[in-house]
Amino acid sequence: MIRPIALVQAQPWFVGSAHQPISSCFGSGGAFGIGFDMGVVTALIDSGIPVDKGPMLGTSAGAWTAASVAAGLTWDELLDIPEGFERTDEPVRVIELTSSLFGDLHDARVTGMAIQLPFGRRTALSGEDHALADVVAASSSPPKFAHPHKIGGRRYIDAGITRCTSADRAESAHVLVVVTPMTGRVVGPFGRVCEGITRFEIEQWRIRTGGDVLFIRPNADIASFVADGGIDALLDVEAGRRVFEPAYELGLQCAEEFLESHPKEAEEFELLRSAPAT
């Protein structure tokens, strides 16, 4: 059974300072990843863990999720993405899809991770400085399947090809929520490698900030949706549709366990949820 992970409490000697209650990190995973991320995140918000009230860092599918939450889009609305979302034999320009959803919306809560060409530098793109459509397009343009996305003359590609989450780059907070579709039994050995990297990133974040972590990944039943299909299965839009409901149930379970075992954080989240919007 998948359990949330609570790491050690903050100590005064830590380099970082966790001033805000919550920060989030959503991982990559194609259409399957969007469905998983959206299912878990929707459940967390419904359960009283206000990921929408803090900074959200997304990679590829995770950038879609963070931007959708910021824009107030539901999963059903996201499923109404134009038919261009369906895979073709030719590379697509993801900006054509993201522009239709997010327009010129900016939101400082959202950051997308992308790889800047030609040197392959992992780069964080803020939704305060760039339109969400650009942030998501840059973060989810995988080689072969999509053209690199240009922002200000610089070219970017999907950061998920090297780092599934970039949890080490998440903002400091009392609690970091990490939702990562590409771990464990998902697509075999690749999923296990991604999980190892993600756990290392989480440890780096913990050392830097001293915060606690709620880590949610697919259980065996959810992983079975794409276990034998490789990368093609992750890109199957139908897999994204099917995974939302079980991911939602998993999110409810993990939220209940975390809030029950962390009464102080539960109280802090309740205050954050009831605070007036700024």
Side-chain angles (χ1 to χ4, degrees), residues 56 107 113 176 190 196 261:
M56 298 175 285
D107 196 301
M113 295 303 301
L176 172 65
F190 185 69
S261 61

Side-chain angles (χ1 to χ4, degrees), residues 56-69:
M56 298 175 285
L57 175 67
T59 297
S60 195
W64 280 89
T65 300
S68 296
V69 170

Side-chain angles (χ1 to χ4, degrees), residues 117-178:
L117 300 177
F119 301 112
R121 183 166 66 92
R122 195 168 45 133
T123 303
L125 299 171
S126 170
E128 182 176 24
D129 301 326
H130 307 286
L132 295 187
D134 281 314
V135 171
V136 177
S139 184
S140 58
S141 291
K144 180 181 177 181
F145 300 108
H147 296 284
H149 181 61
K150 289 185 179 181
I151 303 177
R154 295 185 174 93
R155 295 181 301 143
Y156 298 95
I157 60 174
D158 194 323
I161 64 174
T162 60
R163 297 288 190 103
C164 293
T165 60
S166 288
D168 56 318
R169 301 288 289 272
E171 288 196 26
S172 300
H174 298 160
V175 174
L176 172 65
V177 175
V178 180

Side-chain angles (χ1 to χ4, degrees), residues 265-276:
E265 286 77 7
E267 182 178 350
E268 191 173 33
F269 290 163
E270 182 59 32
L271 291 173
L272 183 61
R273 292 176 64 211
S274 61

Side-chain angles (χ1 to χ4, degrees), residues 37 41 94 102 106 129 136-137 142 149 205 213 236 252 260-261:
D37 284 340
V41 169
V94 180
F102 306 116
H106 289 61
D129 301 326
V136 177
H149 181 61
W205 181 89
V213 175
D236 183 2
L252 292 179
E260 182 177 341
S261 61

